Amino acid sequence: MKNRVMIIGGVQAGKSTLMNALLGKDRQAIKTQALVFDDWIVDTPGEYIENPMYYRNIMATSLEVTHVIYLQDATSSRSVFPPQFSLGIPKIQIGVITKIDAPLADVERATALLKNVMTHGPIVKTSAWQKLGIELIAPLIQLRSDEEIRQFVKDRDSPYLIYCP
Ligand SMILES: Nc1nc2c(ncn2[C@@H]2O[C@H](COP(=O)(O)OP(=O)(O)O)[C@@H](O)[C@H]2O)c(=O)[nH]1
Ligand SMILES: [Mg+2]
């Protein structure tokens, strides 16, 4: 299977904007009503994670990907994921925090929320608007083992990238 990532996160968390930034597309993110497959990314509607009725769709879609991005909005005080949600999806985990540029962003809080969702893995702190941290994501999707990812995080030594725990 070609390396491909599914992005999951709440409604309005910045999933589609992130996808466009990663693909270098200028288009404005429109409300995602269904799965959007584009090149190496699968964008999902926020409803998929906000309503447990749709978890089966997440599970089914995960079969098409090698990696999953667990996305947390830095301006939100809550997580849309159940604790340890990543345990149920046997794919490579990547945490992404969005909107770190926002005046109300709390990156520490977002990091703590993601640590409750992911068992382990990298967390990337990003702003699609200011193009911060974005360039770290595509190379991570090329890596297939935790060891390589851990080494990548170490080598980059970036303020926008950490490895948990
Ligand atoms: N401040 C800030 N706002 C963002 C950023 N990325 C997205 N947004 C805004 O967050 C809202 C939701 O974005 P969208 O990508 O549609 O979220 P989705 O529902 O998760 O796909 C929109 O108003 C975006 O303009 C960012 O990097 N910084
Ligand atoms: Mg969307």
Side-chain angles (χ1 to χ4, degrees):
M1 194 198 305
K2 167 179 136 91
N3 287 24
R4 188 185 280 146
V5 66
M6 171 174 74
I7 304 177
I8 54 178
V11 173
Q12 290 279 95
K15 298 179 297 298
S16 303
T17 305
L18 176 68
M19 181 191 205
N20 290 344
L22 288 170
L23 296 175
K25 305 215 160 151
D26 262 343
R27 69 183 170 209
Q28 262 238 323
I30 49 162
K31 177 119 177 54
T32 317
Q33 309 281 11
L35 290 170
V36 177
F37 286 72
D38 194 338
D39 201 356
W40 54 278
I41 306 182
V42 186
D43 189 15
T44 65
E47 287 79 6
Y48 273 28
I49 190 66
E50 296 208 1
N51 186 339
M53 194 166 78
Y54 294 113
Y55 285 177
R56 70 182 65 193
N57 297 53
I58 291 182
M59 297 311 164
T61 309
S62 76
L63 300 175
E64 315 269 341
V65 304
T66 50
H67 295 61
V68 176
I69 285 179
Y70 298 88
L71 186 145
Q72 175 66 46
D73 181 342
T75 68
S76 173
S77 59
R78 68 185 189 105
S79 171
V80 295
F81 302 98
Q84 303 284 85
F85 189 68
S86 78
L87 275 176
I89 311 179
K91 299 290 170 176
I92 297 170
Q93 316 169 39
I94 298 181
V96 171
I97 298 169
T98 55
K99 311 185 192 180
I100 64 169
D101 64 276
L104 291 174
D106 185 336
V107 178
E108 297 246 325
R109 177 182 65 194
T111 305
L113 289 171
L114 276 180
K115 284 182 180 175
N116 270 326
V117 175
M118 302 164 56
T119 57
H120 64 277
I123 294 179
V124 194
K125 305 166 185 184
T126 71
S127 163
W129 286 13
Q130 296 191 354
K131 303 274 177 271
L132 303 173
I134 300 292
E135 78 289 349
L136 296 163
I137 296 176
L140 283 169
I141 308 302
Q142 290 310 309
L143 305 177
R144 292 257 189 155
S145 76
D146 291 332
E147 206 33 66
E148 286 175 303
I149 289 177
R150 198 192 289 274
Q151 192 60 45
F152 176 84
V153 172
K154 210 169 164 194
D155 292 345
R156 281 300 173 110
D157 193 24
S158 162
Y160 301 110
L161 185 60
I162 58 172
Y163 194 91
C164 294

